Amino acid sequence: MTGINWEDPYCGEGNNCFRIGTDDQDNAYIALAGQEDHYLTDSREALRTLIRDIKAGKADHLL
């Protein structure tokens, strides 16, 4: 693995910033901005599914 390529942070109000990254082995990562050494990881397909489900409103009950 050559490392994680982090995208710019996605921020809500205040300091609620998340970063999404990928590596050359088709893995995806999510971390709090500034805490990239503590991340969640899964496949890119799992990240795609998560994002599509959130966009479809399947997590609205968490708001």
Side-chain angles (χ1 to χ4, degrees):
M1 184 167 98
T2 60
I4 302 169
N5 300 309
W6 292 104
E7 298 288 329
D8 290 335
Y10 296 94
C11 299
E13 295 180 19
N15 294 324
N16 301 323
C17 299
F18 292 91
R19 294 190 78 184
I20 295 174
T22 56
D23 67 19
D24 59 356
Q25 296 181 358
D26 214 29
N27 297 309
Y29 303 82
I30 300 174
L32 293 173
Q35 298 182 27
E36 289 82 0
D37 54 336
H38 300 284
Y39 52 78
L40 297 172
T41 185
D42 207 325
S43 68
R44 288 186 191 199
E45 186 55 37
L47 179 60
R48 281 185 202 101
T49 301
L50 173 66
I51 292 170
R52 286 181 183 139
D53 285 351
I54 289 171
K55 284 180 158 183
K58 292 182 180 180
D60 286 357
H61 65 282
L62 300 172
L63 302 175

